[in-house]
Amino acid sequence: MIAELKDVSQIEKEITVTAKEPELVIPFSETPNEQYYLSNLDQNIAVIIKTIYYYKSSEINTESSSYETIKKALSKVLVHYYPLAGRLTLSPEMKLIINCTGEGAVLVEAEADCDLADLGDVAKPDPITLGKLVHDVPGAKNILEIPPLVAQVTKFKCGGFTLGLAMNHCIFDGLGAMEFVNSWGETARGLPLSVPPVIDRSILKPRNPPIISNPHHEFEQIDDVSDTDKLYKEELLYRSFYFQPEDLDLVKKKALEDGALEKCTSFEALTALVWRARTAALNLSPDQRTKLLFAVDGRARLNPPLPKGYFGNGIVLTNAIATSDELMSNPLSYAVKLVQGAIKMVTDEYIRSAIDYFEATRLRPSLAATLLITTWSRLAFHGADFGWGQPIASGPVTLPEKEVILFLAHGEERRSINVLLGLPSSAMVKFQELMEEIN
């Protein structure tokens, strides 16, 4: 089998986590009191992302506890990242902004009744068990009632600990979040920030008047003629499919075998593969239009490029649309070409047009009949060292929506990819069969 299948529900015993009262950690010194602008690229993805970092025994650093070290460093790093100490609110134009009040980030100290090893394979989403390692703000009815940064440090019997983060995607994308956590770690180790944040987001303001120069099908609502809502009433199963470098080479070889393409990347081939497999697994009607969405980093594609350390979202969603019949009756290379076309169309003008499209319409991308692929395969979250070495693992608590598939880097050289997804139980059986056929 090309992909090693792992069931995410592998944790044998239920863990108990006891948490103390949450603390508010304010910036170490005075910070600007202002209304902080969020760009239209930030507005589109205002969802809470929960991530956990896992650390071995904290014996290396004996001068202070992991919690106290992380708390002191958070206070100091918030001086640089002061919007994280504010609160989300709505502007008179009904857009998300941050009121930089300096109220502070939420930090919780907790203790688990087990060893880290008892968690099993933590690279897989498990909202029930892993969710205990990230603090939920009680009574929060919407994202405006959740501070931009909520953190929980959980100690384990073995001496190890976890850092569980809940952060709003409208604050930063994966690269921005990685740079923040790494800066936090550098501060804990007494080092200067290697990538100081560039706070000003006005460089991504819309044009006046807005100019919509490109079609933006990422916002298009597609009718679900296949009635997949009925299928999704089944139990939702989470699974992980593990692709080693040789497996990725095999997928690329399959994409190139008919000669329609000269070359393709692992991302392009794997994205096309799972788009087709998910379409087949959900048994979509032949005439069902299906949309693929994925983020492209626009930092280097903008003119001028975004500065290094840009604090906000620098990603833009791109898309490809095909019917189920087009995807399934054509070879893999057909879907790969669609993926390549979606990447190629992300230019400076496309990004500016997407910013202006939201300004003019206030629409958000629709997930109807859609697959949204998000990739963490290039993010060096393993660099988050608070003084006890790099984390032994990091990963999400859960997938934010049922339409989302996550590509997560794996292995020592991070050249392998874990494909994490959730599907209705009957569709997951079919998806697994299709993964096993690739050899």
Side-chain angles (χ1 to χ4, degrees):
M1 183 169 76
I2 187 168
E4 177 191 348
L5 171 71
K6 295 181 180 178
D7 190 331
V8 300
S9 57
Q10 80 293 329
I11 297 174
E12 294 180 4
K13 74 172 196 175
E14 185 175 344
I15 71 165
T16 300
V17 175
T18 306
K20 295 182 180 179
E21 283 296 309
E23 294 187 73
L24 282 176
V25 179
I26 64 173
F28 184 73
S29 57
E30 191 174 349
T31 54
N33 186 342
E34 63 186 20
Q35 300 281 300
Y36 181 66
Y37 173 79
L38 297 177
S39 83
N40 286 353
L41 296 185
D42 301 316
Q43 306 288 332
N44 273 337
I45 37 182
V47 294
I48 303 297
I49 304 296
K50 296 180 177 181
T51 314
I52 303 176
Y53 302 83
Y54 304 83
Y55 297 86
K56 282 183 180 176
S57 170
S58 55
E59 293 172 359
I60 304 170
N61 188 337
T62 55
E63 291 180 13
S64 64
S65 72
S66 51
Y67 179 79
E68 286 302 322
T69 298
I70 286 170
K71 179 182 173 181
K72 288 177 183 175
L74 176 57
S75 178
K76 291 178 181 178
V77 82
L78 284 176
V79 175
H80 302 279
Y81 287 89
Y82 65 87
L84 290 175
R87 294 296 180 265
L88 278 170
T89 187
L90 291 175
S91 71
E93 296 79 32
M94 298 305 289
K95 284 187 179 182
L96 288 170
I97 57 172
I98 298 178
N99 191 10
C100 294
T101 57
E103 286 178 59
V106 175
L107 187 63
V108 178
E109 184 176 13
E111 200 164 325
D113 67 342
C114 63
D115 294 341
L116 268 178
D118 294 325
L119 293 176
D121 192 348
V122 297
K124 315 302 174 293
D126 182 352
I128 295 174
T129 300
L130 301 184
K132 297 176 182 179
L133 305 178
V134 181
H135 178 67
D136 274 325
V137 176
K141 295 184 285 292
N142 56 58
I143 60 168
L144 298 181
E145 298 180 6
I146 302 173
L149 173 61
V150 177
Q152 176 177 317
V153 178
T154 306
K155 300 172 187 173
F156 288 76
K157 285 185 173 180
C158 59
F161 69 95
T162 58
L163 175 62
L165 301 178
M167 301 187 288
N168 197 310
H169 207 316
C170 73
I171 307 298
F172 31 39
D173 56 21
L175 181 58
M178 178 195 75
E179 288 173 347
F180 163 68
V181 176
N182 290 351
S183 294
W184 189 358
E186 287 171 339
T187 304
R189 303 195 319 273
L191 301 174
L193 304 193
S194 56
V195 185
V198 175
I199 295 291
D200 182 19
R201 304 191 186 197
S202 64
I203 45 180
L204 289 183
K205 279 197 170 179
R207 295 171 287 199
N208 188 13
I211 304 169
I212 303 170
S213 56
N214 284 260
H216 289 284
H217 297 299
E218 64 269 30
F219 297 91
E220 183 179 341
Q221 180 87 18
I222 296 178
D223 291 333
D224 178 17
V225 300
S226 304
D227 195 20
T228 57
D229 282 348
K230 186 176 179 181
L231 188 62
Y232 272 98
K233 289 176 181 175
E234 295 179 12
E235 180 188 6
L236 197 64
L237 297 182
Y238 290 98
R239 295 286 186 271
S240 170
F241 296 86
Y242 182 44
F243 289 79
Q244 299 185 66
E246 55 268 30
D247 301 324
L248 295 169
D249 287 341
L250 197 58
V251 176
K252 285 195 287 185
K253 184 179 178 183
K254 184 175 177 62
L256 298 172
E257 65 186 7
D258 65 350
L261 300 170
E262 287 185 16
K263 60 182 180 179
C264 67
T265 66
S266 294
F267 171 80
E268 292 162 355
L270 193 57
T271 296
L273 179 79
V274 299
W275 187 18
R276 292 176 86 240
R278 183 177 179 273
T279 298
L282 291 173
N283 196 26
L284 299 183
S285 303
D287 61 341
Q288 173 69 61
R289 295 171 72 235
T290 173
K291 179 169 58 179
L292 171 71
L293 288 179
F294 59 91
V296 172
D297 188 353
R299 285 168 172 78
R301 293 170 184 259
L302 283 160
N303 185 19
L306 289 179
K308 186 178 182 182
Y310 178 74
F311 178 36
N313 283 278
I315 57 172
V316 63
L317 286 176
T318 187
N319 72 91
I321 295 178
T323 65
S324 171
D325 182 59
E326 287 169 339
L327 286 177
M328 302 316 302
S329 62
N330 283 296
L332 180 61
S333 60
Y334 175 84
V336 174
K337 270 187 177 178
L338 292 177
V339 175
Q340 291 177 335
I343 296 170
K344 188 176 180 181
M345 72 181 179
V346 181
T347 60
D348 173 76
E349 183 54 39
Y350 177 89
I351 298 169
R352 302 285 178 189
S353 177
I355 290 169
D356 290 357
Y357 187 94
F358 180 84
E359 188 68 16
T361 67
R362 298 299 169 89
L363 291 176
R364 286 179 167 80
S366 167
L367 293 182
T370 294
L371 165 61
L372 171 57
I373 289 181
T374 180
T375 175
W376 292 6
S377 57
R378 295 181 182 177
L379 300 178
F381 280 104
H382 57 288
D385 181 356
F386 291 87
W388 290 271
Q390 293 183 353
I392 53 174
S394 63
V397 170
T398 188
L399 300 174
E401 303 283 352
K402 69 181 189 301
E403 295 86 1
V404 173
I405 290 181
L406 174 63
F407 291 179
L408 189 65
H410 197 71
E412 287 188 13
E413 295 182 13
R414 305 182 72 76
R415 292 176 59 230
S416 301
I417 294 178
N418 263 334
V419 176
L420 312 178
L421 74 157
L423 282 172
S425 53
S426 61
M428 186 61 82
V429 171
K430 176 65 174 174
F431 189 91
Q432 180 182 345
E433 290 172 355
L434 292 169
M435 293 298 101
E436 291 173 346
E437 289 174 6
I438 304 161
N439 50 42

